[in-house]
Amino acid sequence: MNRSLTAIVESEGGGYVAFCPEVDVASQGETVSEARGNLAEALTLFFESASAGEIERRLREEVYVTQIEVAVG
């Protein structure tokens, strides 16, 4: 079974960090593509090795990524 999850990728230092907020799993890589691929691998390993209880406890069914505008300075 496949599941669509959110991947948030941010530049950090000389590379990139990829984060999945639905299950609080992160990975990294030297490029956006590598970070995303490493996150996919980490997520696969998480779902293969975590107990059903752990998955249920961590899994957020709805995550919204949006932008907001705020006054700065």
Side-chain angles (χ1 to χ4, degrees):
M1 172 176 89
N2 288 339
R3 175 182 280 269
S4 291
L5 298 167
T6 305
I8 298 171
V9 183
E10 297 179 295
S11 175
E12 186 172 294
Y16 295 88
V17 174
F19 173 68
C20 176
E22 283 93 343
V23 289
D24 196 27
V25 170
S27 194
Q28 63 184 22
E30 292 184 14
T31 65
V32 170
S33 180
E34 183 179 352
R36 189 175 181 278
N38 289 344
L39 178 61
E41 182 178 346
L43 288 165
T44 298
L45 292 172
F46 169 74
F47 283 109
E48 287 177 353
S49 63
S51 68
E54 175 74 4
I55 293 170
E56 183 179 331
R57 184 179 68 76
R58 292 175 61 171
L59 185 62
R60 293 164 186 85
E61 290 296 327
E62 293 186 33
V63 172
Y64 300 98
V65 177
T66 184
Q67 294 184 342
I68 59 173
E69 188 172 318
V70 297
V72 178

